[in-house]
Amino acid sequence: MKPLQLIQRALTLVLGTALPLAALQAAPSAPKAWVTGQRIQQADKEPGNWLSHGRTYDEQRYSPLKQVTDGNVKQLGIAWTQKLDWDFGVEATPIVVDGVMYTTGPYSIVYAFDAATGKPLWRFDPEVPRDKGGEGCCSVVNRGVAVWEGKVYVGAFDGRLIALDARHGKKLWSVDTRLDPNKSYTITGAPRVVKGQVLIGNGGAEFGVRGYLTAYDARSGKPSWRFFTVPGDPSKPPENEAMRMALKTWDGNGWVKWGGGGTVWDAMAYDPDLDLLYIGVGNGSPFNYQFRSNGKGDNLFLSSIVALRPSTGEYVWHYQTTPGEMWDYTATQHMILADLQIEGKPRKVLMQAPKNGFFYVLDRTNGQLLSAEKFVPVNWASHIDMKTGRPVLTGAANYLDGQGMKIVMPSFLGGHNWQPMSYHPGTGLVYLPAQETAAGLEPQKEPMFLPIRNVVNIGLDVPSLPEDPAVVKQIAQSWKGKLLAWDPIKQKAAWQVDYPTAWNGGTLATAGNLVFQGTADGRAVAYAADTGKLLWSMPVNSGAMAGPVTYTVKGEQYVAFMVGWGGSFPNITGQLSLGAKVKAEARVVTFKLGGTTTLPPPKMTAAALPPLETVTADAATLQIGRTMFNGLCANCHGLNAVSGGVVPDLRYLTPEKHQIFLGIVYGARTARGMPAFSGLLKPDDVEVLRQYILHRAHALKAELIPAASPPPSP
Ligand code: CA
């Protein structure tokens, strides 16, 4: 008798009925991807898995794995690599459950790989329309999935939250998370699952939306609650007590037209003991505080950390990092929960380094500020008053004082952006991917609201870069990237590493005394967690921004990097990124000790300019062309038509492309990601843009030709 027949006979004896043999053969040995809250809470019992976005609910991004250590990390080589579909920015943190990696790429495409070999298991494309990129600030990026009870959840760029069957990636349910389908609500963040509910926020604060977080039943997709972060129309009753409180901190009703902002586009954390869910809230919409709220009031809950009851969405406490926010100072940045000894007392803390440049340590039981210090140069506030918990403004960044443009530090890219930090309980240090940036902001006299979805409306003039390459080089040198090993108790760096450019990757700390990070210049690196000594570095072909993860399969430790340059920094300020010699490339690169796989050579941008026709527009027309370009095109193709290597650099357009330029602007390339501007631009406008691009191509040509050597002196 065969084993299955034996089992069937045994079951017949026990149950009294015979099960069909086929049913027994089809029965899986264990449910797939059966992640539960209890499993996440006890994640340290199974350090070989990476069960939720920050590995644990406290989002420390620390792994107890220590097969790879400061002693042997030099032996890390590539175990496997897989190319993703679209070469735009890659920001996902993979989830790894029982030997399967679930991750995402551009356009919210979900991939399941065998975590040991990289073999593709399934792929789900939510088919986000390819020309949707212009409806978000920062490209069609996605920061990963959540996995729960056999389902994989992804927030699609167009605002859908989708549940997939973890076994084969088939869609189970899909909900539209948008409050108003006529507004540019996007999703780039990773969902979290807490107490059987999937939590997701949105992006869109540059496009006039009202922010909120929504909870959906993880099994059915049925909405269970929504927490708004800014008030709605003051002529209607507030939705709840929290909105009643928030409304008192706004003036007039300017924000109603502009949405208010406060999008919850990235960070969340959860403390199961306190049963508190922490959410990070984004900037005001528009940026311009005058248009939004007559330049008055704190504007709750912009730029705040808010604690909620996860079952009901009920407000518990908040801490506002930047009252009356006017510089795109989101507090959506990564939050880490930890228990620290502060002045001899154990404190349950929440740590955040938001865009505004201060590192905050809060008591997470009640939101009390414990300390806050600058981690990068800051000019908008001198310090945080510990009595009131409020910043003391300097006035230096106040663009509403009638004195015109103000240089703001940090810039709208932040002293720290979405790239996740990590906390090592052994060293007590937070590994923070920081950056020193500054930018000019100038208020518009009247809001120049363009009634189309794919144009940023911030009530400020588009901060532009000068065209002069020498000046740009100077600015580029003042924009620096840093890895800070931040001591949250002493509020200062224990060690730091300087990088030549901003926008370096998220970090991972491990029990092997290691900190892993991807870099903007296209490397995967590891430092000693205690001293900062560089121990390992490998090229990965493209800028690596996402937070790396580590896991084991059959006892062997892997370290995975999601690679792919992109997002707001290279797309908008391409001139300040690395000169774009290397084209962006999106892939997973996974390492193990003794790995021997190699990468294909990196893709280089065209070495020479194609033949250029003569510019016929006069200087005044070219100036209009520049304003139009920087307002409409620069969000992807880069200010002054200099790209950062992700979206095509238009100065390299061939004569053939110039001939079909109008068609491309009017929608011929929507399938490849270029939105149609036919509704907004007349053919004459498009020709002005084309003339400006030609002008910039000629300027590049002049730069590339070495200056003729001076004649020998007589
Ligand atoms: Ca923003």
Side-chain angles (χ1 to χ4, degrees):
M1 196 176 273
K2 287 177 183 167
L4 267 171
Q5 286 168 321
L6 277 171
I7 294 168
Q8 192 181 30
R9 201 176 70 167
L11 279 170
T12 309
L13 291 172
V14 173
L15 302 170
T17 54
L19 282 171
L21 206 59
L24 282 173
Q25 280 165 330
S29 54
K32 196 97 177 158
W34 206 260
V35 176
T36 60
Q38 190 183 27
R39 248 183 112 177
I40 299 173
Q41 284 175 46
Q42 299 176 352
D44 284 349
K45 287 186 180 167
E46 42 176 324
N49 286 320
W50 191 283
L51 297 175
S52 76
H53 193 66
R55 194 181 76 84
T56 46
Y57 274 138
D58 52 23
E59 303 264 334
Q60 290 186 357
R61 290 179 176 262
Y62 166 79
S63 169
L65 294 178
K66 51 185 178 186
Q67 203 175 85
V68 180
T69 67
D70 50 0
N72 64 17
V73 67
K74 277 193 172 59
Q75 295 160 34
L76 277 187
I78 298 173
W80 60 267
T81 180
Q82 282 289 349
K83 184 79 181 58
L84 307 180
D85 292 76
W86 291 85
D87 291 325
F88 295 130
V90 175
E91 301 187 353
T93 297
I95 303 292
V96 181
V97 189
D98 306 331
V100 179
M101 175 188 287
Y102 306 91
T103 191
T104 62
Y107 288 115
S108 337
I109 297 175
V110 186
Y111 303 85
F113 297 112
D114 180 313
T117 65
K119 184 183 155 209
L121 302 176
W122 53 259
R123 170 183 171 279
F124 172 80
D125 183 351
E127 290 171 358
V128 171
R130 301 309 189 219
D131 59 347
K132 279 266 170 190
E135 293 186 24
C137 64
C138 309
S139 187
V140 286
V141 295
N142 186 278
R143 283 182 291 279
V145 297
V147 176
W148 184 267
E149 293 187 351
K151 295 183 184 66
V152 176
Y153 303 91
V154 64
F157 187 76
D158 55 14
R160 286 171 292 157
L161 177 70
I162 302 168
L164 309 172
D165 189 318
R167 291 173 299 179
H168 38 58
K170 296 276 185 306
K171 186 164 77 183
L172 295 170
W173 53 257
S174 171
V175 290
D176 187 350
T177 70
R178 296 172 303 171
L179 179 67
D180 177 352
N182 294 314
K183 290 205 166 176
S184 288
Y185 280 103
T186 51
I187 302 179
T188 58
R192 311 293 202 279
V193 187
V194 172
K195 300 177 104 175
Q197 300 189 96
V198 196
L199 308 162
I200 192 73
N202 299 79
E206 278 68 51
F207 298 79
V209 307
R210 181 186 182 195
Y212 52 86
L213 179 86
T214 321
Y216 298 89
D217 182 278
R219 291 183 186 161
S220 65
K222 201 171 147 257
S224 61
W225 53 260
R226 174 167 282 173
F227 180 81
F228 285 103
T229 56
V230 295
D233 188 339
S235 67
K236 292 172 191 159
E239 282 90 353
N240 52 40
E241 275 311 306
M243 284 300 96
R244 200 178 305 280
M245 171 170 75
L247 182 61
K248 291 178 188 150
T249 66
W250 293 68
D251 199 76
N253 62 359
W255 79 90
V256 176
K257 179 177 170 190
W258 297 87
T263 47
V264 185
W265 55 262
D266 194 39
M268 291 177 239
Y270 174 57
D271 183 328
D273 295 329
L274 297 171
D275 194 31
L276 287 177
L277 169 73
Y278 305 97
I279 63 169
V281 182
N283 59 280
S285 182
F287 290 10
N288 190 318
Y289 183 32
Q290 183 67 38
F291 296 163
R292 194 178 70 224
S293 185
N294 297 327
K296 289 179 194 156
D298 285 354
N299 288 190
L300 291 174
F301 295 100
L302 294 182
S303 306
S304 299
I305 294 160
V306 185
L308 305 173
R309 288 283 169 227
S311 308
T312 57
E314 179 198 353
Y315 164 92
V316 180
W317 60 254
H318 77 275
Y319 176 80
Q320 189 174 37
T321 61
T322 317
E325 190 290 309
M326 56 195 265
W327 303 283
D328 194 13
Y329 283 164
T330 63
T332 46
Q333 279 58 46
H334 183 190
M335 294 176 285
I336 289 178
L337 313 183
D339 295 342
L340 301 183
Q341 284 284 332
I342 297 177
E343 290 170 353
K345 283 187 206 140
R347 302 297 293 255
K348 289 177 181 291
V349 308
L350 180 154
M351 299 181 279
Q352 191 194 47
K355 276 191 185 178
N356 76 12
F358 286 90
F359 190 101
Y360 295 86
V361 180
L362 305 181
D363 180 329
R364 71 172 181 274
T365 65
N366 56 15
Q368 184 203 339
L369 177 68
L370 298 176
S371 65
E373 292 295 337
K374 296 170 186 175
F375 61 91
V376 286
V378 167
N379 77 343
W380 67 277
S382 60
H383 63 286
I384 310 299
D385 182 328
M386 289 306 296
K387 282 208 183 81
T388 61
R390 296 174 68 91
V392 179
L393 303 185
T394 62
N398 180 13
Y399 55 71
L400 294 175
D401 66 359
Q403 307 292 311
M405 202 260 300
K406 289 291 162 70
I407 298 288
V408 183
M409 281 165 37
S411 77
F412 48 89
L413 290 175
H416 170 223
N417 209 297
W418 61 267
Q419 289 87 342
M421 321 186 286
S422 56
Y423 170 71
H424 193 306
T427 63
L429 300 173
V430 174
Y431 303 97
L432 161 57
Q435 54 202 16
E436 295 183 8
T437 66
L441 292 182
E442 185 167 6
Q444 291 167 351
K445 288 189 182 65
E446 294 294 325
M448 285 168 59
F449 188 84
L450 289 168
I452 58 167
R453 294 165 63 120
N454 51 10
V455 173
V456 168
N457 288 298
I458 57 176
L460 300 171
D461 279 332
V462 175
S464 207
L465 283 168
E467 288 183 352
D468 183 343
V471 181
V472 171
K473 198 173 168 191
Q474 257 184 357
I475 298 172
Q477 281 166 354
S478 73
W479 280 40
K480 292 179 198 125
K482 281 174 183 299
L483 171 60
L484 300 175
W486 196 258
D487 183 327
I489 296 171
K490 292 182 183 152
Q491 281 282 16
K492 63 176 193 179
W495 53 262
Q496 70 173 63
V497 176
D498 293 326
Y499 291 118
T501 180
W503 221 242
N504 295 281
T507 68
L508 160 70
T510 77
N513 189 32
L514 292 170
V515 179
F516 290 95
Q517 186 182 23
T519 66
D521 59 8
R523 293 173 297 139
V525 296
Y527 303 97
D530 52 358
T531 64
K533 187 176 176 218
L534 178 68
L535 300 175
W536 170 77
S537 172
M538 287 270 284
V540 291
N541 281 9
S542 188
M545 313 180 291
V549 300
T550 186
Y551 57 89
T552 58
V553 182
K554 295 191 180 121
E556 188 160 34
Q557 187 180 352
Y558 297 79
V559 184
F561 287 76
M562 297 296 296
V563 174
W565 191 227
S568 52
F569 172 60
N571 284 15
I572 304 166
T573 43
Q575 274 171 298
L576 301 180
S577 66
L578 289 170
K581 288 190 193 83
V582 179
K583 274 193 184 171
E585 190 179 313
R587 58 170 67 242
V588 194
V589 186
T590 299
F591 298 89
K592 66 174 183 179
L593 294 174
T596 55
T597 303
T598 53
L599 288 172
K603 291 185 273 181
M604 308 304 282
T605 47
L609 280 164
L612 297 173
E613 63 184 277
T614 311
V615 176
T616 54
D618 59 18
T621 308
L622 290 175
Q623 194 50 45
I624 295 168
R626 180 175 184 233
T627 306
M628 273 168 52
F629 189 95
N630 285 347
L632 295 175
C633 319
N635 214 32
C636 302
H637 291 285
L639 289 167
N640 303 327
V642 182
S643 127
V646 186
V647 178
D649 191 310
L650 301 181
R651 297 170 303 169
Y652 287 85
L653 282 183
T654 59
E656 296 75 39
K657 295 269 171 61
H658 271 283
Q659 281 198 347
I660 57 166
F661 187 73
L662 180 66
I664 295 173
V665 175
Y666 275 14
R669 290 277 193 283
T670 49
R672 284 162 61 179
M674 168 72 190
F677 289 86
S678 39
L680 187 73
L681 297 171
K682 297 192 176 74
D684 287 353
D685 300 328
V686 178
E687 179 56 19
V688 172
L689 279 173
R690 198 182 74 84
Q691 288 288 326
Y692 177 69
I693 292 163
L694 272 174
H695 159 74
R696 295 295 292 150
H698 280 282
L700 176 62
K701 193 174 167 187
E703 245 181 273
L704 294 177
I705 297 167
S709 48
S713 47

